[in-house]
Amino acid sequence: MSDLSIDIKISKVSESNIKNVDFNDLTFGKVFTDHMFVCDYVDGVWQTPEIMPYQPLTIAPSARVFHYGQAVFEGMKAFKDEDDQIWLFRPEDNFNRINKSSHRMAIPDFPKDFFFAGLTQLLQLEKEWIQKGKGNSLYIRPFVIATEEAISASPSNSYKFMIICSPAQSYYAGEVKVLFAEKFSRAADGGVGFAKAAGNYGAQFYPTSLAHAKGYQQIIWTDANSHEYLEEAGTMNIFFRVGDTLLTAPNNDRILDGITRKCVIQLAKDNDIDIEVRRVTVAEIKEAAKNGTLKEIFGAGTAAVINPIAGFEHAGDEFELPKLENSYASLFKEKLTNIQYNVSEDPHGWRYKV
Ligand SMILES: *Cc1c(COP(=O)(O)O)cnc(C)c1O
């Protein structure tokens, strides 16, 4: 357990901005709550954390983050149940993962007590911003940036760890069609694909914009060496249902170790669904699509929870997926959100009460 009572300097807004927000018309990640959490790393020590009004930062143009992208982030959500209790979902995993990402990017670890005390005290302040009802949540974005004023290509001596929050509605991306990558790669062996490192995302925008122009919303990345194995989407891990068996790639240093992915694997086991965690080839998925055994493809990630995919293209071959009544995608989404919103039992201890 972490010490949630550590000293945090709190300065509150004089007036909340919440009255100016239309919770029925939210664009994902555009509106932010009243406060933010900030903690600076100076002279080898994380300083006293602060919670202060959400506001722009003053950072030198020479700060290393602008030049070398030494930056990592996390994405998590808070939910409100029918009794106005607030819940996080597996936050320890997010905490461990941001430090794993930081480690790879030569950023110092953030202390656990600071993370949990900061997060829970910030959420207490922003309670009103978390709306009840399935689909509503508060998206939480912890991140770290290198702030030292120095443009030599070496790790920073100072950093800023922050948490900002954005109210979110159920995220429906519409019919999602995807392109299996043939040329571009997201990550390579020995690289930073497993980390939520800022540059991983910026590097996807260009190839993804080419996919958009062809009518595909996302890319399913394949291994950088052969482009024969399906790995993951830009911000989601990916599952294939062939017959009644689920397939998903094993984690490696190119693939982000998604918390939603881990939950889907566990829920599949709990519900006696066959699951194989193994390398999945482009060829077998195309073959399954041709012979009618490919029933579903879906993405799994915090933002969209489970995102069904309607079709895909590879090497000029286009495939549409059948519309299923009782899809695994909807089963997993229902089971997961029931746990998140405290509607069902939580046999694996995934909920965390704020
Ligand atoms: C964040 C992310 C995921 C999903 O992880 P969750 O912990 O389930 O939110 C998957 N792939 C990539 C590349 C990601 O950045």
Side-chain angles (χ1 to χ4, degrees):
M1 246 355 261
S2 16
D3 179 5
L4 301 182
S5 62
I6 62 143
D7 207 21
I8 295 181
K9 188 177 154 211
I10 298 182
S11 37
K12 293 186 194 171
V13 291
S14 46
E15 204 182 335
S16 174
N17 187 42
I18 198 165
K19 58 185 179 309
N20 300 320
V21 174
D22 180 358
F23 282 89
N24 296 313
D25 185 25
L26 293 168
T27 306
F28 181 75
K30 286 289 264 189
V31 171
F32 295 91
T33 61
D34 294 321
H35 302 91
M36 61 188 195
F37 172 88
V38 187
C39 186
D40 288 314
Y41 182 88
V42 190
D43 297 332
V45 186
W46 289 102
Q47 308 291 310
T48 304
E50 278 188 59
I51 290 173
M52 61 175 78
Y54 178 88
Q55 62 193 286
L57 305 170
T58 302
I59 297 182
S62 57
R64 292 191 194 266
V65 65
F66 299 130
H67 306 274
Y68 308 114
Q70 201 189 2
V72 298
F73 69 94
E74 264 306 320
M76 52 202 297
K77 279 177 173 175
F79 308 92
K80 193 178 264 179
D81 70 18
E82 286 308 314
D83 299 323
D84 288 325
Q85 299 184 102
I86 295 168
W87 301 92
L88 289 163
F89 189 72
R90 307 188 70 169
E92 188 121 356
D93 293 27
N94 296 99
F95 169 74
N96 290 332
R97 193 169 62 189
I98 200 167
N99 277 344
K100 199 170 150 196
S101 299
S102 286
H103 189 80
R104 179 62 181 81
M105 297 300 288
I107 295 171
D109 274 14
F110 195 63
K112 190 169 182 183
D113 287 350
F114 282 19
F115 182 83
F116 278 93
L119 188 56
T120 50
Q121 292 186 37
L122 180 63
L123 290 176
Q124 293 297 345
L125 271 183
E126 311 294 48
K127 265 189 192 135
E128 298 303 316
W129 290 84
I130 314 173
Q131 303 277 303
K132 274 197 269 205
K134 261 214 186 163
N136 297 321
S137 65
L138 189 68
Y139 183 80
I140 303 165
R141 170 56 59 90
F143 64 103
V144 195
I145 54 172
T147 51
E148 187 187 359
E149 296 185 38
I151 55 166
S152 58
S154 57
S156 181
N157 284 313
S158 58
Y159 297 88
K160 210 178 257 304
F161 181 103
M162 304 190 59
I163 304 176
I164 55 175
C165 303
S166 174
Q169 281 175 300
S170 155
Y171 181 86
Y172 177 67
E175 282 242 306
V176 175
K177 288 189 175 182
V178 297
L179 212 55
F180 290 177
E182 290 170 62
K183 172 172 166 235
F184 293 102
S185 301
R186 192 191 90 92
D189 292 337
V192 300
F194 69 88
K196 267 184 150 41
N200 281 339
Y201 303 85
Q204 297 183 63
F205 297 159
Y206 172 67
T208 304
S209 72
L210 298 180
H212 282 172
K214 291 178 75 178
Y216 297 89
Q217 287 74 34
Q218 294 199 28
I219 295 175
I220 306 296
W221 298 101
T222 49
D223 71 292
N225 296 331
S226 68
H227 297 290
E228 284 173 19
Y229 296 93
L230 292 156
E231 302 214 308
E232 65 165 325
T235 58
M236 294 190 296
N237 296 106
I238 199 93
F239 287 82
F240 304 89
R241 175 182 175 184
V242 177
D244 286 332
T245 300
L246 266 185
L247 307 174
T248 195
N251 285 327
N252 55 38
D253 57 5
R254 302 181 303 273
I255 298 183
L256 200 288
D257 183 6
I259 296 162
T260 319
R261 171 185 177 277
K262 283 193 283 193
C263 292
V264 169
I265 293 172
Q266 183 62 52
L267 289 172
K269 291 176 182 161
D270 294 351
N271 289 279
D272 295 323
I273 292 171
D274 278 337
I275 173 143
E276 294 177 13
V277 179
R278 61 161 173 84
R279 301 189 84 184
V280 181
T281 65
V282 172
E284 73 177 299
I285 295 304
K286 285 176 82 170
E287 180 53 35
K290 277 178 200 152
N291 69 27
T293 53
L294 180 68
K295 293 190 184 162
E296 294 179 60
I297 303 178
F298 58 87
T302 296
V305 192
I306 303 288
N307 200 160
I309 285 162
F312 69 92
E313 195 242 286
H314 177 260
D317 301 328
E318 293 178 49
F319 299 92
E320 277 197 22
L321 285 147
K323 290 194 176 52
L324 292 189
E325 281 296 324
N326 295 309
S327 67
Y328 285 173
S330 54
L331 174 85
F332 291 128
K333 184 157 191 171
E334 178 74 11
K335 297 256 177 212
L336 256 176
T337 53
N338 280 347
I339 297 173
Q340 290 173 331
Y341 289 86
N342 191 23
V343 175
S344 68
E345 293 294 302
D346 178 23
H348 302 291
W350 290 341
R351 277 195 298 263
Y352 175 99
K353 192 157 182 281
V354 175

